[in-house]
Amino acid sequence: MAILEVLNLEKHFENTMVLKDVSFSLEEGNALAIIGSSGSGKTTLLRCLNFLEKPDGGSIRVRGETLFDAASANVIKEKELRKKRLHFGMVFQSFHLFPQYTALENVTLAGKLLAQERSDFKQNKQAIYEEIEEQGNALLKRMGLSDRRSHYPHQLSGGQQQRVAIARALALNPDILCFDEPTSALDPELTGEVLKVIRGLAEQNTTMIIVTHEMAFARDVSDKIIFMDDGVIVEQGEPKQVIDHPREERTKQFLSRYAQN
Amino acid sequence: MFWNVTQSLFGGLLTTFEIFILTLVFALPLGLILAFGSMSRYKVLRYFVQILVWIIRGTPLMLQLIIIFYGPGLWLSHNIWSGDEAGRITATVVAFSINYACYFSVIFRGGIEGVPKGQREAGEVLGMTKNQIFFKITLLQMVKRVVPPMSNEIITLVKDTSLARIIAAYELTFAGYSFMKSAGLTWPLFYTGVFYLVFVGILTLLFNYIEKKLDYFK
Protein backbone atom coordinates (compact mmCIF):
# COMPACT_ATOMS: atom_id res chain seq x y z
CA MET A 1 0.00 0.00 0.00
CA ALA A 2 1.15 3.50 -0.75
CA ILE A 3 2.51 5.45 2.21
CA LEU A 4 1.05 8.69 0.88
CA GLU A 5 -2.14 9.15 -1.09
CA VAL A 6 -3.18 12.59 -2.22
CA LEU A 7 -6.61 12.81 -3.83
CA ASN A 8 -8.15 15.69 -5.77
CA LEU A 9 -6.25 18.32 -3.81
CA GLU A 10 -7.33 21.90 -4.50
CA LYS A 11 -6.07 25.22 -3.26
CA HIS A 12 -6.84 28.77 -4.26
CA PHE A 13 -5.59 32.14 -3.10
CA GLU A 14 -8.28 34.79 -3.53
CA ASN A 15 -9.47 34.06 -7.06
CA THR A 16 -6.40 32.26 -8.34
CA MET A 17 -6.53 28.49 -8.46
CA VAL A 18 -3.07 27.33 -7.44
CA LEU A 19 -3.76 23.60 -7.23
CA LYS A 20 -6.41 21.92 -9.36
CA ASP A 21 -7.44 18.34 -8.79
CA VAL A 22 -3.98 17.13 -7.81
CA SER A 23 -3.83 13.37 -7.18
CA PHE A 24 -0.81 11.15 -6.75
CA SER A 25 0.56 8.47 -4.51
CA LEU A 26 3.98 7.56 -3.18
CA GLU A 27 5.34 4.18 -2.14
CA GLU A 28 7.35 3.76 1.04
CA GLY A 29 11.09 4.08 0.43
CA ASN A 30 10.60 5.86 -2.86
CA ALA A 31 11.67 9.31 -3.93
CA LEU A 32 9.27 11.49 -5.85
CA ALA A 33 10.57 14.48 -7.78
CA ILE A 34 8.25 17.32 -8.72
CA ILE A 35 9.35 19.52 -11.59
CA GLY A 36 7.72 22.45 -13.31
CA SER A 37 8.17 26.14 -13.87
CA SER A 38 7.88 28.76 -11.15
CA GLY A 39 4.30 29.40 -10.16
CA SER A 40 3.12 25.97 -11.22
CA GLY A 41 2.02 25.09 -7.68
CA LYS A 42 4.85 22.78 -6.63
CA THR A 43 5.74 24.68 -3.49
CA THR A 44 2.08 25.17 -2.55
CA LEU A 45 1.61 21.42 -2.82
CA LEU A 46 4.44 20.79 -0.35
CA ARG A 47 3.09 23.49 1.94
CA CYS A 48 -0.33 21.82 1.93
CA LEU A 49 1.23 18.48 2.87
CA ASN A 50 2.98 20.19 5.81
CA PHE A 51 -0.19 22.03 6.83
CA LEU A 52 1.42 25.40 6.25
CA GLU A 53 -1.50 26.02 3.89
CA LYS A 54 -4.98 24.65 4.30
CA PRO A 55 -6.24 22.97 1.13
CA ASP A 56 -9.69 23.95 -0.12
CA GLY A 57 -10.53 20.52 -1.44
CA GLY A 58 -9.40 16.92 -1.57
CA SER A 59 -7.76 14.63 0.94
CA ILE A 60 -4.37 13.57 2.22
CA ARG A 61 -3.76 10.08 3.62
CA VAL A 62 -0.57 8.75 5.19
CA ARG A 63 -0.27 5.02 5.94
CA GLY A 64 -4.01 4.73 5.43
CA GLU A 65 -4.77 7.38 8.05
CA THR A 66 -6.70 10.38 6.76
CA LEU A 67 -4.78 13.47 7.83
CA PHE A 68 -6.91 15.88 5.90
CA ASP A 69 -10.25 15.64 4.17
CA ALA A 70 -11.90 18.81 2.94
CA ALA A 71 -15.28 17.05 2.98
CA SER A 72 -15.15 16.68 6.74
CA ALA A 73 -12.88 19.58 7.48
CA ASN A 74 -13.81 20.91 10.85
CA VAL A 75 -11.43 23.11 12.76
CA ILE A 76 -8.35 21.11 13.63
CA LYS A 77 -7.04 21.63 17.14
CA GLU A 78 -3.43 22.71 17.55
CA LYS A 79 -2.50 19.48 19.28
CA GLU A 80 -3.88 17.32 16.47
CA LEU A 81 -2.36 19.56 13.85
CA ARG A 82 1.08 19.21 15.43
CA LYS A 83 0.74 15.43 15.45
CA LYS A 84 -0.28 15.39 11.79
CA ARG A 85 2.60 17.61 10.81
CA LEU A 86 5.11 15.20 12.30
CA HIS A 87 4.35 12.71 9.51
CA PHE A 88 6.17 15.11 7.22
CA GLY A 89 9.58 16.72 7.43
CA MET A 90 10.31 19.90 5.55
CA VAL A 91 13.51 21.33 4.14
CA PHE A 92 13.00 24.89 2.96
CA GLN A 93 14.58 26.64 0.04
CA SER A 94 16.22 29.22 2.29
CA PHE A 95 16.99 26.85 5.18
CA HIS A 96 15.27 28.82 7.97
CA LEU A 97 17.72 27.62 10.58
CA PHE A 98 17.25 29.22 13.98
CA PRO A 99 20.06 31.79 14.13
CA GLN A 100 20.42 31.83 17.91
CA TYR A 101 21.12 28.11 18.15
CA THR A 102 24.18 26.10 17.18
CA ALA A 103 23.99 23.47 14.45
CA LEU A 104 23.47 20.75 17.04
CA GLU A 105 20.88 22.76 18.97
CA ASN A 106 18.98 23.37 15.73
CA VAL A 107 18.83 19.62 15.21
CA THR A 108 17.85 18.72 18.78
CA LEU A 109 15.55 21.60 19.82
CA ALA A 110 12.25 20.19 18.54
CA GLY A 111 13.05 16.71 19.83
CA LYS A 112 13.79 18.05 23.31
CA LEU A 113 10.57 20.07 23.35
CA LEU A 114 8.56 17.05 22.23
CA ALA A 115 10.21 14.89 24.86
CA GLN A 116 8.80 17.18 27.56
CA GLU A 117 5.40 15.71 26.74
CA ARG A 118 6.55 12.17 27.55
CA SER A 119 5.15 10.76 30.75
CA ASP A 120 8.58 9.60 31.94
CA PHE A 121 10.23 12.95 31.14
CA LYS A 122 10.65 14.14 34.72
CA GLN A 123 12.40 10.99 35.96
CA ASN A 124 14.57 10.43 32.90
CA LYS A 125 15.19 13.98 31.69
CA GLN A 126 18.97 13.58 31.70
CA ALA A 127 18.94 10.28 29.83
CA ILE A 128 16.35 11.45 27.30
CA TYR A 129 18.31 14.61 26.48
CA GLU A 130 21.53 12.66 26.16
CA GLU A 131 19.88 10.25 23.76
CA ILE A 132 18.51 13.11 21.65
CA GLU A 133 21.91 14.76 21.54
CA GLU A 134 23.59 11.53 20.61
CA GLN A 135 21.12 11.09 17.78
CA GLY A 136 21.69 14.73 16.73
CA ASN A 137 25.43 14.21 16.64
CA ALA A 138 24.98 11.06 14.58
CA LEU A 139 22.80 12.93 12.09
CA LEU A 140 25.31 15.75 11.75
CA LYS A 141 28.02 13.14 11.21
CA ARG A 142 25.92 11.61 8.45
CA MET A 143 25.73 15.05 6.88
CA GLY A 144 29.51 15.38 7.13
CA LEU A 145 29.24 18.18 9.68
CA SER A 146 30.66 16.66 12.86
CA ASP A 147 33.20 19.45 13.17
CA ARG A 148 30.53 22.11 12.71
CA ARG A 149 28.10 21.13 15.45
CA SER A 150 28.99 24.07 17.73
CA HIS A 151 28.88 26.63 14.93
CA TYR A 152 26.05 29.12 14.61
CA PRO A 153 24.21 29.29 11.27
CA HIS A 154 25.86 32.56 10.22
CA GLN A 155 29.24 30.90 10.60
CA LEU A 156 28.31 28.19 8.08
CA SER A 157 28.24 28.22 4.29
CA GLY A 158 24.90 27.93 2.52
CA GLY A 159 25.53 24.28 1.69
CA GLN A 160 26.41 23.53 5.31
CA GLN A 161 23.34 25.37 6.54
CA GLN A 162 21.12 23.36 4.22
CA ARG A 163 22.69 20.13 5.43
CA VAL A 164 22.00 21.15 9.04
CA ALA A 165 18.41 21.83 7.97
CA ILE A 166 18.19 18.34 6.49
CA ALA A 167 19.52 16.85 9.74
CA ARG A 168 16.98 18.93 11.67
CA ALA A 169 14.13 17.56 9.55
CA LEU A 170 15.41 13.98 9.87
CA ALA A 171 15.74 14.24 13.65
CA LEU A 172 12.01 13.73 14.19
CA ASN A 173 11.92 10.63 11.97
CA PRO A 174 9.22 11.83 9.59
CA ASP A 175 7.43 9.31 7.38
CA ILE A 176 8.02 11.53 4.38
CA LEU A 177 10.75 14.11 3.96
CA CYS A 178 9.89 17.08 1.75
CA PHE A 179 12.42 19.29 -0.01
CA ASP A 180 11.35 22.62 -1.43
CA GLU A 181 13.95 23.53 -4.04
CA PRO A 182 16.75 22.68 -1.62
CA THR A 183 19.53 24.05 -3.80
CA SER A 184 17.88 27.09 -5.38
CA ALA A 185 19.23 29.50 -2.76
CA LEU A 186 22.78 28.16 -3.05
CA ASP A 187 25.78 29.28 -5.07
CA PRO A 188 26.29 26.83 -7.94
CA GLU A 189 29.49 25.45 -6.43
CA LEU A 190 27.63 24.55 -3.22
CA THR A 191 24.70 22.66 -4.75
CA GLY A 192 26.80 19.51 -5.22
CA GLU A 193 27.30 18.80 -1.50
CA VAL A 194 23.57 19.13 -0.79
CA LEU A 195 22.54 17.00 -3.75
CA LYS A 196 25.06 14.38 -2.64
CA VAL A 197 23.43 14.18 0.78
CA ILE A 198 19.96 13.84 -0.74
CA ARG A 199 21.28 11.17 -3.10
CA GLY A 200 22.63 9.33 -0.07
CA LEU A 201 19.23 9.50 1.59
CA ALA A 202 17.60 8.10 -1.54
CA GLU A 203 20.07 5.21 -1.56
CA GLN A 204 19.03 4.43 2.01
CA ASN A 205 15.40 4.35 0.83
CA THR A 206 14.23 7.45 2.63
CA THR A 207 10.71 8.31 1.50
CA MET A 208 11.04 11.75 -0.06
CA ILE A 209 9.30 14.38 -2.14
CA ILE A 210 11.73 16.70 -3.85
CA VAL A 211 10.65 19.86 -5.61
CA THR A 212 13.58 20.76 -7.80
CA HIS A 213 14.86 22.52 -10.88
CA GLU A 214 17.81 20.15 -11.19
CA MET A 215 16.55 17.94 -14.01
CA ALA A 216 19.51 15.58 -14.21
CA PHE A 217 19.41 15.12 -10.46
CA ALA A 218 15.67 14.48 -10.48
CA ARG A 219 16.07 11.81 -13.13
CA ASP A 220 18.93 10.07 -11.34
CA VAL A 221 17.58 10.10 -7.82
CA SER A 222 13.84 9.73 -8.06
CA ASP A 223 11.67 6.67 -8.57
CA LYS A 224 8.87 8.76 -9.96
CA ILE A 225 8.55 12.22 -11.48
CA ILE A 226 5.61 14.56 -11.56
CA PHE A 227 5.53 17.47 -13.98
CA MET A 228 3.25 20.28 -12.88
CA ASP A 229 2.07 23.25 -14.85
CA ASP A 230 -0.46 25.88 -13.87
CA GLY A 231 -1.64 23.98 -10.81
CA VAL A 232 -2.29 20.63 -12.47
CA ILE A 233 -0.26 17.47 -12.81
CA VAL A 234 0.39 17.30 -16.53
CA GLU A 235 2.38 14.12 -16.53
CA GLN A 236 3.68 11.60 -14.03
CA GLY A 237 5.65 8.43 -14.40
CA GLU A 238 9.06 6.82 -14.46
CA PRO A 239 11.88 9.40 -14.38
CA LYS A 240 13.47 8.29 -17.64
CA GLN A 241 10.16 8.26 -19.41
CA VAL A 242 9.08 11.74 -18.21
CA ILE A 243 12.45 13.42 -18.73
CA ASP A 244 13.69 11.60 -21.84
CA HIS A 245 10.47 10.68 -23.58
CA PRO A 246 7.74 13.01 -22.37
CA ARG A 247 4.30 12.30 -23.78
CA GLU A 248 2.66 15.65 -23.20
CA GLU A 249 3.33 18.68 -25.33
CA ARG A 250 3.66 20.98 -22.30
CA THR A 251 6.27 18.70 -20.72
CA LYS A 252 8.26 18.71 -23.94
CA GLN A 253 8.16 22.50 -24.12
CA PHE A 254 9.26 22.84 -20.51
CA LEU A 255 12.13 20.40 -20.86
CA SER A 256 13.38 21.87 -24.12
CA ARG A 257 13.43 25.30 -22.49
CA TYR A 258 15.57 23.75 -19.79
CA ALA A 259 17.89 22.06 -22.24
CA GLN A 260 18.50 25.38 -23.93
CA ASN A 261 19.57 27.09 -20.74
CA MET B 1 26.08 73.24 51.83
CA PHE B 2 27.52 70.87 49.25
CA TRP B 3 26.75 67.87 51.43
CA ASN B 4 23.35 69.24 52.12
CA VAL B 5 22.60 69.45 48.42
CA THR B 6 24.15 66.05 47.73
CA GLN B 7 22.01 64.47 50.38
CA SER B 8 18.83 66.04 49.01
CA LEU B 9 19.68 65.05 45.47
CA PHE B 10 20.26 61.46 46.52
CA GLY B 11 16.86 61.59 48.19
CA GLY B 12 15.35 62.80 44.91
CA LEU B 13 17.33 60.23 42.95
CA LEU B 14 15.76 57.48 45.02
CA THR B 15 12.27 58.57 43.93
CA THR B 16 13.42 58.99 40.33
CA PHE B 17 14.90 55.52 40.43
CA GLU B 18 11.76 54.09 41.97
CA ILE B 19 9.55 55.60 39.25
CA PHE B 20 12.00 54.43 36.58
CA ILE B 21 12.22 50.81 37.73
CA LEU B 22 8.52 50.38 38.52
CA THR B 23 7.54 51.88 35.16
CA LEU B 24 9.77 49.39 33.37
CA VAL B 25 8.46 46.49 35.44
CA PHE B 26 4.88 47.27 34.39
CA ALA B 27 5.35 48.83 30.96
CA LEU B 28 7.54 46.11 29.45
CA PRO B 29 5.06 43.22 29.83
CA LEU B 30 2.10 45.52 29.19
CA GLY B 31 3.81 46.73 26.02
CA LEU B 32 4.22 43.15 24.84
CA ILE B 33 0.55 42.43 25.51
CA LEU B 34 -0.45 45.57 23.59
CA ALA B 35 1.87 44.53 20.76
CA PHE B 36 0.03 41.21 20.50
CA GLY B 37 -3.27 43.09 20.66
CA SER B 38 -2.25 45.33 17.79
CA MET B 39 -1.45 42.22 15.71
CA SER B 40 -4.55 40.28 16.76
CA ARG B 41 -6.82 38.77 14.14
CA TYR B 42 -9.75 40.19 16.09
CA LYS B 43 -10.56 43.52 14.52
CA VAL B 44 -12.19 45.00 17.63
CA LEU B 45 -9.13 44.33 19.75
CA ARG B 46 -6.79 45.60 17.04
CA TYR B 47 -8.72 48.86 16.68
CA PHE B 48 -8.97 49.29 20.44
CA VAL B 49 -5.20 49.07 20.81
CA GLN B 50 -4.61 51.32 17.82
CA ILE B 51 -6.90 54.01 19.21
CA LEU B 52 -5.36 53.71 22.69
CA VAL B 53 -1.85 54.08 21.24
CA TRP B 54 -3.00 57.06 19.16
CA ILE B 55 -4.47 58.84 22.19
CA ILE B 56 -1.54 58.14 24.49
CA ARG B 57 1.12 59.02 21.95
CA GLY B 58 -0.87 61.98 20.72
CA THR B 59 -1.20 63.81 24.05
CA PRO B 60 1.49 65.11 26.43
CA LEU B 61 2.62 62.77 29.15
CA MET B 62 2.35 65.68 31.59
CA LEU B 63 -1.33 66.12 30.73
CA GLN B 64 -1.93 62.38 31.24
CA LEU B 65 -0.19 62.55 34.59
CA ILE B 66 -2.30 65.50 35.75
CA ILE B 67 -5.52 63.78 34.69
CA ILE B 68 -4.61 60.49 36.35
CA PHE B 69 -3.52 62.17 39.59
CA TYR B 70 -6.28 64.76 39.99
CA GLY B 71 -9.09 63.16 37.96
CA PRO B 72 -10.24 60.42 40.35
CA GLY B 73 -10.47 62.87 43.27
CA LEU B 74 -12.68 65.22 41.25
CA TRP B 75 -14.86 62.55 39.61
CA LEU B 76 -15.31 60.24 42.60
CA SER B 77 -16.26 61.25 46.10
CA HIS B 78 -12.81 60.30 47.39
CA ASN B 79 -9.29 60.31 45.98
CA ILE B 80 -7.93 56.88 45.09
CA TRP B 81 -4.33 58.04 45.61
CA SER B 82 -3.17 58.51 49.18
CA GLY B 83 -2.22 62.10 49.95
CA ASP B 84 1.40 61.33 50.78
CA GLU B 85 4.54 60.86 48.67
CA ALA B 86 3.68 57.18 48.09
CA GLY B 87 0.35 58.16 46.53
CA ARG B 88 2.05 60.62 44.18
CA ILE B 89 4.63 58.04 43.14
CA THR B 90 1.92 55.42 42.54
CA ALA B 91 -0.06 57.80 40.32
CA THR B 92 3.13 58.65 38.42
CA VAL B 93 3.96 55.00 37.89
CA VAL B 94 0.43 54.29 36.63
CA ALA B 95 0.52 57.18 34.14
CA PHE B 96 4.06 56.38 33.01
CA SER B 97 3.39 52.65 32.65
CA ILE B 98 0.41 53.24 30.35
CA ASN B 99 2.29 55.84 28.34
CA TYR B 100 5.48 53.85 27.94
CA ALA B 101 3.66 50.57 27.28
CA CYS B 102 2.14 52.22 24.20
CA TYR B 103 5.53 53.30 22.87
CA PHE B 104 7.05 49.92 23.72
CA SER B 105 4.21 48.09 21.97
CA VAL B 106 5.05 49.73 18.67
CA ILE B 107 8.72 48.80 19.06
CA PHE B 108 7.84 45.22 20.04
CA ARG B 109 5.49 44.86 17.10
CA GLY B 110 8.24 45.99 14.75
CA GLY B 111 10.61 43.50 16.39
CA ILE B 112 8.20 40.59 16.10
CA GLU B 113 7.20 41.39 12.54
CA GLY B 114 10.87 41.74 11.66
CA VAL B 115 11.48 38.06 12.42
CA PRO B 116 11.14 36.27 9.06
CA LYS B 117 7.97 34.23 8.58
CA GLY B 118 10.12 31.23 7.73
CA GLN B 119 11.31 31.03 11.33
CA ARG B 120 7.77 30.45 12.55
CA GLU B 121 7.06 28.00 9.75
CA ALA B 122 10.22 26.04 10.51
CA GLY B 123 8.99 25.72 14.10
CA GLU B 124 5.53 24.69 12.96
CA VAL B 125 6.70 21.88 10.71
CA LEU B 126 8.82 20.62 13.61
CA GLY B 127 5.66 20.18 15.66
CA MET B 128 6.26 23.05 18.08
CA THR B 129 3.39 24.76 19.85
CA LYS B 130 2.64 28.45 19.36
CA ASN B 131 4.12 29.20 22.79
CA GLN B 132 7.25 27.22 22.09
CA ILE B 133 7.71 29.04 18.79
CA PHE B 134 7.37 32.41 20.50
CA PHE B 135 9.54 31.73 23.53
CA LYS B 136 12.16 29.47 21.96
CA ILE B 137 12.50 31.03 18.52
CA THR B 138 10.91 34.44 18.04
CA LEU B 139 11.55 36.10 21.41
CA LEU B 140 15.34 36.27 21.40
CA GLN B 141 15.45 37.36 17.76
CA MET B 142 12.93 40.06 18.62
CA VAL B 143 14.94 41.18 21.66
CA LYS B 144 18.04 41.54 19.51
CA ARG B 145 16.10 43.72 17.08
CA VAL B 146 14.51 45.95 19.70
CA VAL B 147 17.54 46.71 21.88
CA PRO B 148 18.61 49.87 19.96
CA PRO B 149 15.15 51.50 19.77
CA MET B 150 14.33 50.39 23.32
CA SER B 151 17.51 51.96 24.65
CA ASN B 152 16.31 55.27 23.19
CA GLU B 153 12.94 55.02 24.91
CA ILE B 154 14.38 53.90 28.22
CA ILE B 155 16.86 56.77 28.27
CA THR B 156 13.98 59.15 27.56
CA LEU B 157 12.13 57.60 30.49
CA VAL B 158 14.96 58.54 32.86
CA LYS B 159 14.49 62.19 31.99
CA ASP B 160 10.67 62.02 31.79
CA THR B 161 10.59 61.08 35.48
CA SER B 162 11.21 64.80 36.11
CA LEU B 163 7.62 65.42 34.98
CA ALA B 164 6.46 63.93 38.29
CA ARG B 165 7.38 67.30 39.82
CA ILE B 166 4.10 68.65 38.40
CA ILE B 167 2.18 66.64 41.00
CA ALA B 168 4.76 67.52 43.65
CA ALA B 169 6.55 64.16 43.76
CA TYR B 170 9.95 64.85 45.29
CA GLU B 171 12.14 63.49 42.50
CA LEU B 172 15.60 64.50 41.35
CA THR B 173 14.75 67.67 39.41
CA PHE B 174 12.44 68.84 42.19
CA ALA B 175 15.28 68.35 44.66
CA GLY B 176 17.71 70.44 42.62
CA TYR B 177 15.13 73.10 41.86
CA SER B 178 14.19 73.53 45.52
CA PHE B 179 17.63 75.00 46.30
CA MET B 180 17.17 77.62 43.63
CA LYS B 181 13.80 78.53 45.05
CA SER B 182 14.81 78.57 48.70
CA ALA B 183 18.40 79.86 48.51
CA GLY B 184 18.75 81.31 45.02
CA LEU B 185 21.44 78.79 44.15
CA THR B 186 21.90 77.74 40.53
CA TRP B 187 24.84 75.36 40.82
CA PRO B 188 22.65 72.57 42.29
CA LEU B 189 20.79 72.58 38.97
CA PHE B 190 24.00 71.69 37.13
CA TYR B 191 24.84 69.21 39.84
CA THR B 192 21.41 67.66 39.24
CA GLY B 193 22.32 67.37 35.57
CA VAL B 194 25.40 65.38 36.54
CA PHE B 195 23.17 62.89 38.36
CA TYR B 196 21.12 62.33 35.20
CA LEU B 197 24.26 62.03 33.07
CA VAL B 198 25.71 59.36 35.34
CA PHE B 199 22.37 57.50 35.40
CA VAL B 200 22.11 57.54 31.60
CA GLY B 201 25.81 56.75 31.27
CA ILE B 202 25.39 53.56 33.29
CA LEU B 203 22.34 52.60 31.20
CA THR B 204 24.27 53.20 27.99
CA LEU B 205 27.01 50.87 29.18
CA LEU B 206 24.36 48.30 30.07
CA PHE B 207 22.76 48.49 26.63
CA ASN B 208 26.13 48.20 24.93
CA TYR B 209 26.78 45.11 27.02
CA ILE B 210 23.43 43.56 26.05
CA GLU B 211 24.01 44.31 22.37
CA LYS B 212 27.40 42.71 22.59
CA LYS B 213 25.98 39.69 24.41
CA LEU B 214 23.48 39.18 21.57
CA ASP B 215 26.18 39.57 18.94
CA TYR B 216 26.81 35.83 18.82
CA PHE B 217 24.07 35.31 16.26
CA LYS B 218 22.96 37.21 13.19
Side-chain angles (χ1 to χ4, degrees), chain A residues 90 113 123 168 232 255:
Chain A
M90 180 79 159
L113 292 173
Q123 302 113 283
R168 180 176 70 173
V232 295
L255 288 169

Side-chain angles (χ1 to χ4, degrees), chain B residues 48-99:
Chain B
F48 171 78
V49 173
Q50 280 168 4
I51 289 169
L52 177 74
V53 170
W54 171 59
I55 292 171
I56 296 296
R57 290 202 306 179
T59 55
L61 175 53
M62 194 191 280
L63 184 66
Q64 293 162 17
L65 181 56
I66 292 168
I67 291 173
I68 282 181
F69 184 65
Y70 293 105
L74 298 173
W75 299 324
L76 310 167
S77 53
H78 66 285
N79 199 343
I80 57 169
W81 316 114
S82 62
D84 55 2
E85 183 73 8
R88 290 190 284 272
I89 291 174
T90 312
T92 307
V93 168
V94 169
F96 277 42
S97 295
I98 296 169
N99 183 278

Side-chain angles (χ1 to χ4, degrees), chain A residues 47 78 82 97 100-101, chain B residues 119 121 127 130 136-137 216:
Chain A
R47 290 174 62 84
E78 191 192 31
R82 287 173 49 220
L97 290 181
Q100 70 267 45
Y101 294 114
Chain B
Q119 290 291 306
E121 291 184 346
K130 281 201 178 83
K136 297 285 177 184
I137 299 172
Y216 74 90

